[in-house]
Amino acid sequence: MSFTPVLAGLFNLGFVLLISPLYMTVVKIVKARAQRRAGPPLLQGYYNLAKLFRKEVVYSDYASFISRAAPYASLAILMVAVLLVPVIWIPDAAPAEGNIIVFLYLLAFTRFLLALLGLDAGSTFGGMGSSREMSLSAVIEPTTVVVFAAMAYVAGTLSIPEMFRHATTIIPGMSPTILLLSVSLFILIIVETGRVPVDNPETHLELTMIHEGMLLDTSGRNLALFELSHAVKQTLMMALLINILIPIGIIQEASIIGLVLAAILFLIKGTALSVLIGIVESSFAKMRFFRVPGLFMMAFFFSALTILSEVML
């Protein structure tokens, strides 16, 4: 039995859990600087998680086992998703069997758990957030499927590690399909992670709340688990874009020096992408709810164009 897939999976999991809060903080710093504020310290995301993990959990009088199990289940599902997306090391054998379709189902399941949590507390805002989240999901899911289908069609495989391996064999800047696909993936990051202009994970305004509305009755370590899950999901979506558009640095043969260099390169690329996300958030206002599907249609259009270009070229 080879321990390489197990080692790769554990390394990938530890790396993603470690760096995910950092990218969330980078986005906040960029937004603060755009508003001429100092912004939080670079490690503020870790401080917030540590503080929340130490706080007591308070449940609503109407809460069932769903409120107690959903935070752990959500993070556990995303940890399984991490095993499907090699961030800096593509081993010969994948740490977990699965493909882009399984990854899509895992993302959808975490959204379903979050919506259940919002309803379970029995509060008005939780129900409102869950209702809005499910309404958006009806539009998001077909677009996400088309974006992932374009990824699979361009790479000629459903396996995410094989997609990344295929990306290392081409020059992304010379491939129009990769560039088109990158636009769709960037929009997908904004949509799936609930960033402005689709949603604002930091707002508490009744008219705009979606993600926060579902978490208003969550506290203590349960809130910390959801915050960490949100950060992990963002890192995974960023890794899909980074390792397809700029796969330079991702290694296929493990060595200590190679892993260190690959980790440093991914940190730099992820930080640059987080800065770009922060700039986009600072440049746009929150969209009105009924205009949000227009953004999804842009991702749908670029993905369909990617598939058409691949067929024509």
Side-chain angles (χ1 to χ4, degrees):
M1 177 181 176
S2 173
F3 289 98
T4 302
V6 178
L7 184 63
L10 292 175
F11 186 84
N12 204 49
L13 194 56
F15 183 72
V16 170
L17 288 174
L18 182 64
I19 64 171
S20 294
L22 179 68
Y23 292 148
M24 299 292 283
T25 309
V26 170
V27 175
K28 292 179 181 177
I29 292 174
V30 173
K31 290 173 63 178
R33 295 293 170 84
Q35 298 166 3
R36 299 189 176 183
R37 295 186 288 111
L42 192 58
L43 301 180
Q44 188 62 51
Y46 301 96
Y47 300 151
N48 290 343
L49 288 176
K51 179 183 70 177
L52 288 173
F53 272 118
R54 291 195 300 269
K55 285 187 174 293
E56 179 187 3
V57 180
V58 178
Y59 293 103
S60 162
D61 292 338
Y62 304 99
S64 68
F65 73 96
I66 293 175
S67 294
R68 291 165 172 79
Y72 298 95
S74 178
L75 183 59
I77 291 168
L78 283 169
M79 288 170 71
V80 173
V82 171
L83 299 178
L84 306 180
V85 183
V87 176
I88 61 174
W89 175 16
I90 310 174
D92 291 334
E97 293 296 332
N99 55 34
I100 196 73
I101 298 176
V102 176
F103 183 73
L104 175 63
Y105 274 110
L106 292 174
L107 293 186
F109 195 26
T110 57
R111 182 180 294 113
F112 174 68
L113 280 176
L114 192 57
L116 275 184
L117 179 84
L119 293 171
D120 190 59
S123 70
T124 306
F125 286 116
M128 178 194 67
S130 298
S131 173
R132 290 177 176 177
E133 178 75 9
M134 288 297 99
S135 299
L136 283 179
S137 297
V139 185
I140 291 173
E141 296 302 339
T143 303
T144 307
V145 169
V146 173
V147 174
F148 284 176
M151 286 175 59
Y153 194 85
V154 169
T157 176
L158 291 173
S159 167
I160 297 175
E162 290 301 321
M163 290 178 186
F164 294 168
R165 203 171 268 122
H166 173 267
T168 61
T169 63
I170 58 178
I171 303 174
M174 301 296 290
S175 173
T177 52
I178 294 294
L179 295 177
L180 287 171
L181 185 59
S182 300
V183 176
S184 299
L185 283 173
F186 184 78
I187 296 174
L188 201 61
I189 292 173
I190 300 294
V191 173
E192 285 286 345
T193 57
R195 314 296 318 194
V196 176
V198 176
D199 187 12
N200 186 352
E202 298 170 14
T203 185
H204 288 87
L205 296 175
E206 178 185 353
L207 292 176
T208 60
M209 274 195 304
I210 300 178
H211 180 268
E212 278 300 300
M214 294 182 286
L215 294 179
L216 272 184
D217 291 288
T218 308
S219 59
R221 64 175 176 278
N222 286 355
L223 183 57
L225 290 169
F226 272 118
E227 294 292 338
L228 184 58
S229 299
H230 191 219
V232 168
K233 184 177 182 180
Q234 177 175 295
T235 302
L236 286 179
M237 299 303 298
M238 289 169 59
L240 286 178
L241 174 57
I242 290 171
N243 287 338
I244 285 181
L245 181 62
I246 316 172
I248 300 170
I250 191 167
I251 60 173
Q252 301 184 45
E253 297 291 337
S255 67
I256 295 177
I257 295 177
L259 285 171
V260 171
L261 290 177
I264 293 173
L265 279 172
F266 188 84
L267 274 175
I268 295 172
K269 290 184 286 186
T271 302
L273 182 55
S274 300
V275 170
L276 179 60
I277 293 172
I279 292 173
V280 170
E281 283 208 27
S282 304
S283 306
F284 292 91
K286 169 78 172 63
M287 281 184 173
R288 298 177 71 178
F289 194 71
F290 65 85
R291 293 187 61 186
V292 171
L295 186 64
F296 304 156
M297 290 310 298
M298 287 177 62
F300 185 93
F301 170 75
F302 282 113
S303 300
L305 194 59
T306 299
I307 296 175
L308 185 62
S309 301
E310 192 70 16
V311 172
M312 299 294 290
L313 297 175

